């Protein structure tokens, strides 16, 4: 019992360190590079950047991007709480608070909030830092409370549309608003560069260019583990009858395909259910079928 408790405390400490570290890294990317150069890095932070500029330009009142970011996150999180419950959203709520607070605190550091003549470099480095922070959170199975939360909500309403496409639509909408607010078409170009770099860095940190991992799980607790993988992580699971080469005992192997941001959560769930489970993982560079790329999409290529 004590070992289980110590393991949970250890996991909580790692999650806490990941949230704090990721939020500070993302805040530096925002404050040093994107905010002072009017770059909207997609999501709610991009919307907050545009609105902060609009309020200051129209009324001469400065409201921090961190404050506005939290303002936008609150209704999204409230809707997500109603749909998914407190247990699922607690880390997201903490992350939202820490991220918004980090932006405001980092903004107070002297000589950081400066404009650069090379907006392209600002877009690249801003996207890289934000992408690094997002990857750290995703590796721990933690949502940021921004675009990813909105896409989860929309996916419930539109289950046949992939989360990646939903996030892309939300980011495109935010960039459009930024162009209108800043009255500069170059905002869209630099923001697109920032979002592109953000995604590439996130991918690079989270196992390079692979789209997902295939899990082959040999376990004696397949009837306990299968519903957990299916219900908690919304994974499709296939049961395969196997026989141990050494023990000659009949066993069940579970096969499932896990997206990058769910890898840590899947491993944690397996470990909690059966510490003796034998797991083989390998990269799937492309997955076609329900929940991933549709067969019709691939046929068009």
């Amino acid at each position: 019992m004590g070992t289980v408790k110590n393991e949970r405390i250890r996991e909580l400490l790692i999650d806490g360190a990941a949230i704090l570290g990721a939020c500070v890294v993302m805040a530096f990317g925002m404050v040093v590079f994107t905010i002072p150069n009017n770059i909207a890095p997609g999501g709610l932070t991009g919307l907050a950047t545009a609105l902060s500029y609009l309020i200051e330009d129209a009324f001469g009142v400065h409201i921090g991007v961190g404050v506005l970011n939290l303002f936008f996150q609150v209704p999204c999180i409230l809707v997500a709480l109603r749909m998914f419950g407190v247990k699922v959203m607690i880390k997201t709520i903490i992350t939202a608070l820490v991220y918004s607070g980090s932006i405001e605190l980092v903004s107070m550091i002297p000589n950081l909030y400066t404009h650069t003549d090379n907006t392209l470099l600002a877009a690249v480095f801003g996207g890289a830092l934000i992408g690094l922070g997002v990857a750290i959170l995703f590796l721990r199975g933690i949502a940021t409370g921004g675009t990813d939360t909105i896409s989860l909500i929309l996916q419930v309403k539109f289950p046949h549309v992939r989360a990646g496409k939903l996030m892309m639509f939300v980011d495109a909408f935010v960039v459009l608003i930024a162009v209108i607010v800043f009255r500069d078409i170059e905002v869209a170009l630099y923001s697109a560069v920032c979002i592109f770099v953000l995604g590439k860095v996130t991918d690079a940190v989270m196992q390079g260019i692979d789209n997902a991992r295939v899990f082959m799980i040999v376990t004696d607790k397949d009837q306990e583990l299968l519903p957990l993988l299916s219900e908690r992580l919304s994974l499709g699971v296939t049961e395969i009858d196997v026989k141990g080469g050494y023990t000659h005992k009949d066993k069940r192997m579970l096969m499932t395909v896990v997206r990058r941001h769910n890898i840590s959560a899947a491993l944690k769930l397996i470990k909690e259910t059966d510490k003796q489970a034998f797991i083989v993982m390998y990269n799937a560079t492309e997955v076609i079928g329900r929940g991933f790329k549709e067969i019709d999409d691939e046929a068009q290529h």
Side-chain angles (χ1 to χ4, degrees):
M1 191 69 179
T3 305
V4 175
K5 186 178 180 180
N6 290 337
E7 185 65 24
R8 287 178 179 174
I9 293 172
R10 178 176 169 276
E11 289 294 320
L12 286 173
L13 289 173
I14 293 174
D15 283 343
I19 290 171
L20 181 59
C23 288
V24 170
V25 168
M26 291 190 293
F28 268 96
M30 291 287 296
V31 173
V32 177
F33 297 109
T34 64
I35 295 174
N37 294 287
N38 297 337
I39 298 170
L44 298 182
T45 49
L47 194 60
T49 300
L51 186 59
S52 178
Y53 173 87
L54 183 63
I55 292 172
E56 188 164 4
D57 185 53
F59 305 105
V61 178
H62 176 73
I63 301 179
V65 172
V67 174
L68 291 172
N69 184 59
L70 185 60
F71 174 78
F72 288 128
Q73 284 178 319
V74 167
C76 296
I77 289 174
L78 288 176
V79 173
L81 276 172
R82 186 179 179 85
M83 295 174 68
F84 306 117
V86 177
K87 189 175 181 180
V88 174
M89 293 300 298
I90 186 65
K91 291 179 184 177
T92 300
I93 295 171
I94 294 170
T95 303
L97 292 170
V98 174
Y99 184 29
S100 296
S102 296
I103 293 174
E104 291 304 303
L105 289 173
V106 173
S107 297
M108 296 177 184
I109 300 175
N111 302 321
L112 278 182
Y113 197 88
T114 54
H115 178 77
T116 176
D117 292 330
N118 197 326
T119 312
L120 180 60
L121 279 180
V124 171
F125 280 95
L129 285 175
I130 298 169
L132 175 60
V134 170
I136 292 170
L137 291 173
F138 279 3
L139 284 170
R140 296 301 301 170
I142 302 170
T144 63
T147 310
D148 46 10
T149 303
I150 295 173
S151 68
L152 285 174
I153 295 169
L154 291 175
Q155 202 166 31
V156 174
K157 301 294 183 182
F158 307 101
H160 300 298
V161 182
R162 286 177 290 172
K165 282 188 177 180
L166 291 171
M167 291 177 73
M168 183 181 68
F169 289 144
V170 173
D171 286 338
F173 177 70
V174 169
V175 171
L176 178 62
I177 291 176
V179 171
I180 295 170
V181 169
F182 295 122
R183 298 183 290 275
D184 187 355
I185 190 62
E186 287 191 356
V187 167
L189 302 178
Y190 289 125
S191 297
V193 170
C194 182
I195 293 168
F196 176 80
V197 173
L198 189 161
K200 286 298 180 182
V201 171
T202 302
D203 285 344
V205 175
M206 298 182 67
Q207 314 304 325
I209 61 171
D210 63 300
N211 290 323
R213 285 276 184 98
V214 178
F215 276 53
M216 310 289 282
I217 311 158
V218 180
T219 174
D220 292 323
K221 299 183 178 179
D222 54 287
Q223 295 307 309
E224 296 175 40
L225 182 58
L226 191 154
L228 292 176
L229 292 171
S230 180
E231 293 167 14
R232 289 195 192 177
L233 300 180
S234 300
L235 298 176
V237 184
T238 300
E239 296 181 273
I240 304 171
D241 291 322
V242 294
K243 178 178 284 189
Y246 179 74
T247 63
H248 299 292
K249 290 183 178 179
D250 291 329
K251 290 178 176 285
R252 275 290 178 87
M253 181 171 71
L254 304 180
M255 185 188 79
T256 186
V257 181
V258 185
R259 289 188 181 277
R260 288 187 300 269
H261 63 276
N262 269 336
I263 290 173
S264 176
L267 287 170
K268 184 177 179 181
L269 200 59
I270 296 167
K271 185 178 180 181
E272 289 175 350
T273 307
D274 183 7
K275 289 186 177 181
Q276 304 303 317
F278 183 78
I279 309 166
V280 177
M281 294 183 292
Y282 56 90
N283 295 335
T285 55
E286 191 165 23
V287 184
I288 302 170
R290 185 176 179 182
F292 292 86
K293 182 183 290 186
E294 297 298 329
I295 295 176
D296 290 341
D297 293 343
E298 180 62 19
Q300 291 175 1
H301 296 289

